[in-house]
Amino acid sequence: MEKLVICVGRQLGSGGCEIARKLAEEFGFKFYDSELINMAAERSGFNPKIFARSDESHGALQSLFSAFSGRMARFASVYGNSISQENLFQIQSEVIFKAAKEGGCVFVGRCADYILRRSENLFSVFITANDEERTRAVSERMGCDIATARKYIEKKESERASYYNFYTSKTWGAAESYDLCINSSILGIDKTVEIIAQIIRER
């Protein structure tokens, strides 16, 4: 268990990040979400804004060149002479590999399930929830109306699916892409965490 890696995919507003964090607490594992952006930036020498802008969104680099940190030489010598979405994905993949080798951890999104697919200790789960609950959760979090929240969900999930499908050749959110898919609306966040943890232990 001390080398177990849990990868959590999630629909927006499903509570996936909270579930992932609680799973990390349950097992005493390290938790990685947006932290990966700063880790990748530190590894490459690039401004974190580059990774934040392209985070789980394929093809979002057109206007990022002004955000360079000034250490292009180091990046070029290791990853090639030009910045690209593929180079950023490679850097982030290396960060994920390194983190996974250090012991039990939980990753949120960022194709970690695919990047670590050859790991014998990998468990991947996808968190979904009812549309009404997801829309309401996003509306409350963003402080916007339901219509705006719904449009935001559609845009972000389209980007997330495009990113995942492009790099993994699998389908984001499809049951066959994960070890477990679960609807957090049925039993709530805490019970969902309990069920996932029980399945992991039995597996």
Side-chain angles (χ1 to χ4, degrees):
M1 289 292 287
E2 67 271 10
K3 293 186 178 181
L4 176 68
V5 176
I6 303 171
C7 296
V8 179
R10 74 288 183 214
Q11 283 190 303
L12 208 64
S14 66
C17 289
E18 183 179 357
I19 289 168
R21 191 180 297 277
K22 286 179 177 290
L23 283 170
E25 294 173 356
E26 174 74 19
F27 290 104
F29 288 173
K30 291 184 178 179
F31 173 79
Y32 296 102
D33 185 6
S34 57
E35 295 87 350
L36 291 170
I37 293 173
N38 290 330
M39 292 167 69
E42 181 178 352
R43 181 179 182 86
S44 65
F46 276 93
N47 191 307
K49 290 181 180 179
I50 294 176
F51 292 92
R53 177 71 177 272
S54 64
D55 190 32
E56 293 191 288
S57 177
H58 185 257
L61 290 174
Q62 292 85 346
S63 62
L64 289 180
F65 293 98
S66 62
F68 282 12
S69 68
R71 285 183 278 176
M72 184 66 184
R74 177 185 171 191
F75 180 89
S77 65
V78 178
Y79 300 103
N81 292 320
S82 62
I83 185 171
S84 68
Q85 189 83 46
E86 285 65 36
N87 281 338
L88 296 186
F89 183 79
Q90 180 185 348
I91 297 166
Q92 188 163 268
S93 297
E94 291 170 0
V95 167
I96 290 172
F97 269 120
K98 184 176 184 296
K101 287 182 179 179
E102 293 177 353
C105 52
V106 178
F107 293 101
V108 176
R110 296 167 182 84
C111 300
D113 60 317
Y114 176 78
I115 293 166
L116 301 171
R117 65 193 180 280
R118 294 187 176 89
S119 172
E120 296 179 356
N121 303 306
L122 173 68
F123 186 85
S124 62
V125 58
F126 188 84
I127 310 296
T128 185
N130 297 342
D131 288 345
E132 296 79 5
E133 292 186 22
R134 295 196 302 117
T135 304
R136 184 170 62 252
V138 171
S139 173
E140 291 174 356
R141 189 173 69 204
M142 295 181 60
C144 63
D145 59 37
I146 293 297
T148 301
R150 188 173 292 113
K151 290 180 180 179
Y152 179 78
I153 289 173
E154 291 175 356
K155 177 179 182 296
K156 295 300 292 184
E157 290 196 342
S158 176
E159 292 174 352
R160 193 173 285 176
S162 176
Y163 182 89
Y164 184 89
N165 297 349
F166 180 85
Y167 285 110
T168 69
S169 298
K170 298 194 295 181
T171 302
W172 180 80
E176 62 268 21
S177 297
Y178 310 90
D179 295 317
L180 174 68
C181 294
I182 189 165
N183 187 329
S184 62
S185 295
I186 297 175
L187 296 172
I189 298 295
D190 290 338
K191 192 65 177 180
T192 298
V193 171
E194 182 181 330
I195 289 173
I196 296 171
Q198 180 180 348
I199 291 172
I200 289 174
R201 289 190 174 99
E202 292 182 358
R203 181 176 180 269

